[in-house]
Amino acid sequence: MSGPNEAPRDRRVFLIIGALVIGLLAFSVISALIPDIDGTLAAVPLVIVLLVVGTVLVLARALRGADR
């Protein structure tokens, strides 16, 4: 049976992932407006890699915490 402490953890995970997605979209719009940044990010997708790694870490931590 799940306790009342598990619901906020789930909400926090969704909020963090949502913030990451909104941040990626905002950065994409800003980089599209500035041609030099857009060209650099097209060559090196560093932001996307960092967001994917961050999302995986958050999900792994949430899943590990749910097993306890």
Side-chain angles (χ1 to χ4, degrees):
M1 184 186 315
S2 63
N5 292 335
E6 292 183 27
R9 180 180 303 141
D10 294 339
R11 263 185 267 154
R12 279 184 265 154
V13 171
F14 286 123
L15 289 175
I16 291 170
I17 293 173
L20 289 172
V21 169
I22 290 171
L24 175 62
L25 292 174
F27 195 79
S28 177
V29 169
I30 291 169
S31 70
L33 297 175
I34 303 172
D36 293 337
I37 293 176
D38 195 33
T40 302
L41 292 177
V44 182
L46 182 62
V47 173
I48 295 171
V49 171
L50 288 174
L51 288 172
V52 169
V53 169
T55 303
V56 169
L57 290 174
V58 167
L59 289 174
R61 184 174 177 200
L63 290 175
R64 187 175 19 156
D67 292 338
R68 290 182 186 175

